[in-house]
Amino acid sequence: MTCLPEIRPGQKKLGLVIDLDTCVGCHACATNCKEWNASGHSGPLPDFKPFSAGAEGVWFNRVHSYEAGEGGEGRTVHFPRSCLHCETPDCVTVCPTGASYKRAEDGIVLVNHDTCIGCGLCAWACPYGAREMDEDEGVMKKCTLCVDRIYNETIPEAQRQPACVLTCPTRARHFGDLGDPDSAVSRLVAERGGTGLMPELGYGPVNRYLPPRRTTSVDPGPQEDAPTPLDVKNPLLRWMDKVLSR
Amino acid sequence: MNPAPSIVLFTTASGAGYGMLFWLGLLRPLGLVPQGVAFGLIALGLAVFLITIGLLSSMAHLGHPERAWRALSQWRSSWLSREGVAAVATFLPILLLGLGLILGWGALTHLFGLLAAAGAVATVYCTGMIYASLKPIRQWRHPLVVPGYLMLSSFSGATILAMTAAYWGQAWAPALLAALGAAGAFWVKQSYWRDIDGPAPADAPTIESATGLGAIGRTRPLEPPHTETNYLLREMGFRIARKHAQRLRRVALLGGFAVPLALAVLALLAGGTLWPVLLLSLATSCALLGLLAERWLMFAEATHTVTLYYTGR
Ligand code: SF4
Ligand code: SF4
């Protein structure tokens, strides 16, 4: 059914919180996502010309890098982009077959690959570019929030998290229930002022992005009159200066 | 947006077919087109042929055409599903209209013709709404998109109906409608293009709102997430150079609307059968070619918010 589940108060809203302050843009999340999902619920994921020029395939997570702000305030921000498991997403309601659906119990947005006709309309309806057509199988694929890990009783409990979250070397990714105001992820969002993307379109994205922390003071640069090591002629003093300024 | 040939052909052919069906269903009871069985069947057959090649072509666009029947199920929420339901439902009055013509059901035939006309409007309206309801694509959210679909469909349908009626020497009503439709289509498309050329509305998404980085300041892409292309860039990142767009707009406006308008007026003025047949056949060819260019542009000029992430625009 592609009508959206009714929104109840206290609704469980599983999602990701991504810390743009600590993300180093290493692409580990994207790589581990591909690794897990190529053989999971949505597998296989196609790769065309994998070993030559023009290599491309379906990925559920893409890591962009941006430059934001000007001059001393400017900074590089790495930005992983994946499905935000929106609360009122048109990617679900436009689907003519009912293959695209949002689960009432936890809010995860999934595609039923057995009924999808591969019309591609849901990908047009997603503002965030979170859906990619599997042109091998002729059906739409997208992030499943690792639905086949998070409830998987055959793996140790500590591993029942999305693959991207587990693999992140800087712990920039967090997973939890954003519908519960007391959950660890909700508290993190409140503390850091996490934001949703393109709120103006009204999709109600669930995932949150934690903004890069403000640098407290901009480094004024070297002082003109402070002696630099090259200004100190006496070798003993030069050595002492080097040791002391370590 | 990528102008997939199957979809461009679909909206052009089916649009013309439904337009023709609409005018046939409406003008026959009014006695404004030839009343004979032969004309009725030929005009209906031509409309059904255009509708069907369009629908088949749109199915070729699917990853799983054999599952297309499933698309009839979600009419409660999906305009694409509603379009499918309307298209299938319209085949019933079409069939009854055909039977009525062959078996001579008289007034009942008129009723089925009117029902088929209503089905045609409903189907084309749903097609327009598929596009007009997509929030990430500013150029399709425009209020003139649905009127545009209806207008182009009625214009091209009237032109083909006029060409067919000309063989019976009775083309004045559809030819007049074709001329009016051409003028209407010219106006709708010109207003639409003028509007989408203007600046984006103030509340349109930007790279800053797409990334949430606006609090830091102006944001621009530094490194792309992948070095080669992908589905998103091919499907949503397709953009046409401005000068090609301008040229195609001229082809659509002049070749597609202005020339058929002039030819339809000439056909109205010319008497007999031969001249109207020739002029309206030429008008039909021009209209269809112009519409192919216009439909192609409808995609090529549309931009999707996902490109904000890739190019900042
Ligand atoms: S991010 Fe896109 S695919 Fe995911 S739920 Fe929202 S609209 Fe749908
Ligand atoms: S591609 Fe599949 S999931 Fe997406 S709208 Fe079409 S049928 Fe539904």
Side-chain angles (χ1 to χ4, degrees):
Chain A
M1 224 5 253
T2 56
C3 287
L4 292 167
E6 195 189 324
I7 299 178
R8 289 173 286 106
Q11 173 94 40
K12 196 168 181 185
K13 294 196 265 178
L14 293 186
L16 299 172
V17 173
I18 298 169
D19 190 342
L20 298 181
D21 194 62
T22 46
C23 173
V24 291
C26 68
H27 293 245
C29 52
T31 313
N32 203 30
C33 167
K34 176 93 176 185
E35 157 72 20
W36 174 262
N37 284 297
S39 50
H41 173 276
S42 308
L45 298 182
D47 280 303
F48 301 103
K49 302 195 207 149
F51 306 113
S52 59
E56 62 161 293
V58 170
W59 293 67
F60 298 162
N61 190 357
R62 306 268 187 184
V63 184
H64 297 251
S65 297
Y66 298 102
E67 222 167 32
E70 314 285 344
E73 292 288 327
R75 50 184 304 169
T76 301
V77 183
H78 303 292
F79 183 94
R81 175 176 59 80
S82 59
C83 174
L84 311 166
H85 297 280
C86 306
E87 270 198 281
T88 48
D90 285 1
C91 65
V92 170
T93 51
V94 299
C95 173
T97 63
S100 182
Y101 63 105
K102 182 168 175 72
R103 303 191 349 157
E105 63 269 38
D106 52 15
I108 299 181
V109 175
L110 292 175
V111 176
N112 180 346
H113 304 128
D114 295 330
T115 54
C116 172
I117 56 174
C119 67
L121 189 57
C122 54
W124 290 0
C126 171
Y128 309 100
R131 292 177 169 243
E132 300 192 14
M133 181 80 85
D134 177 339
E135 284 155 306
D136 239 1
E137 239 182 286
V139 296
M140 194 56 74
K141 302 260 166 111
K142 70 178 288 298
C143 159
T144 66
L145 208 59
C146 283
V147 69
D148 44 4
R149 291 189 68 92
I150 58 179
Y151 297 113
N152 192 337
E153 295 189 348
T154 65
I155 57 177
E157 204 175 332
Q159 290 196 15
R160 293 179 204 160
Q161 300 246 333
C164 58
V165 172
L166 285 173
T167 204
C168 177
T170 62
R171 298 216 161 260
R173 304 178 70 97
H174 308 267
F175 162 71
D177 179 7
L178 286 146
D180 169 7
D182 294 324
S183 67
V185 280
S186 295
R187 275 186 273 122
L188 188 60
V189 169
E191 193 182 302
R192 294 277 307 281
T195 55
L197 308 180
M198 279 192 255
E200 63 273 34
L201 289 182
Y203 282 51
V206 168
N207 286 10
R208 286 287 177 269
Y209 284 78
L210 305 180
R213 290 185 171 87
R214 286 235 167 241
T215 38
T216 39
S217 66
V218 177
D219 180 0
Q223 295 291 311
E224 276 280 357
D225 50 1
T228 68
L230 289 176
D231 294 335
V232 184
K233 296 286 182 309
N234 182 326
L236 180 65
L237 287 181
R238 211 145 92 191
W239 175 80
M240 275 179 64
D241 178 58
K242 206 161 143 197
V243 170
L244 290 175
S245 49
R246 240 173 226 166
Chain B
M1 303 292 295
N2 174 31
S6 54
I7 303 278
V8 171
L9 183 67
F10 159 65
T11 47
T12 310
S14 287
Y18 282 119
M20 199 175 167
L21 183 63
F22 172 77
W23 289 122
L24 178 67
L26 202 65
L27 298 184
R28 229 184 138 266
L30 297 175
L32 294 175
V33 285
Q35 297 293 302
V37 178
F39 171 80
L41 283 180
I42 287 174
L44 185 66
L46 198 52
V48 170
F49 171 74
L50 287 168
I51 292 171
T52 312
I53 51 170
L55 291 176
L56 288 178
S57 145
S58 78
M59 293 207 354
H61 180 75
L62 302 179
H64 277 280
E66 80 286 2
R67 296 180 185 165
W69 59 273
R70 291 185 183 277
L72 301 178
S73 66
Q74 303 302 311
W75 48 269
R76 280 187 215 78
S77 71
S78 160
W79 282 106
L80 177 52
S81 186
R82 288 172 195 160
E83 181 200 41
V85 171
V88 170
T90 305
F91 274 108
L92 187 67
I94 289 179
L95 192 75
L96 292 173
L97 172 60
L99 277 179
L101 283 168
I102 296 170
L103 303 176
W105 289 348
L108 214 50
T109 319
H110 293 333
L111 176 68
F112 294 135
L114 290 172
L115 284 176
V121 179
T123 310
V124 176
Y125 178 79
C126 290
T127 310
M129 281 307 291
I130 295 173
Y131 297 91
S133 63
L134 291 170
K135 299 188 189 104
I137 305 161
R138 175 167 75 86
Q139 292 82 352
W140 289 354
R141 284 288 281 175
H142 195 277
L144 283 179
V145 163
V146 174
Y149 269 83
L150 289 167
M151 184 59 93
L152 295 176
S153 169
S154 100
F155 154 60
S156 52
T159 312
I160 305 178
L161 190 66
M163 174 189 78
T164 318
Y167 287 90
W168 276 260
Q170 266 187 59
W172 73 268
L176 184 63
L177 288 165
L180 291 174
F186 192 100
W187 178 80
V188 167
K189 286 315 290 187
Q190 215 182 22
S191 323
Y192 170 77
W193 282 324
R194 201 176 31 237
D195 246 34
I196 63 165
D197 282 347
D203 59 349
T206 58
I207 182 176
E208 283 82 12
S209 72
T211 58
L213 296 175
I216 305 178
R218 196 174 63 86
T219 305
R220 55 267 176 206
L222 183 64
E223 278 182 284
H226 40 96
T227 49
E228 304 285 349
T229 186
N230 70 350
Y231 170 74
L232 299 174
L233 290 175
R234 267 181 285 118
E235 187 71 8
M236 265 78 91
F238 184 97
R239 272 199 198 168
I240 178 180
R242 207 169 181 78
K243 72 170 194 287
H244 296 316
Q246 294 300 343
R247 195 167 303 148
L248 275 173
R249 283 181 183 184
R250 275 197 297 276
V251 168
L253 282 180
L254 296 179
F257 309 141
V259 171
L261 172 65
L263 290 171
V265 170
L266 283 179
L268 279 172
L269 297 177
T273 308
L274 179 66
W275 277 109
V277 166
L278 286 178
L279 291 166
L280 289 167
S281 303
L282 197 58
T284 299
S285 324
C286 289
L288 289 181
L289 285 177
L291 279 185
L292 282 176
E294 186 281 336
R295 299 284 81 175
W296 195 88
L297 269 179
M298 179 78 187
F299 280 82
E301 292 195 302
T303 57
H304 191 282
T305 50
V306 70
T307 60
L308 293 172
Y309 289 103
Y310 283 93
T311 65
R313 280 180 295 126

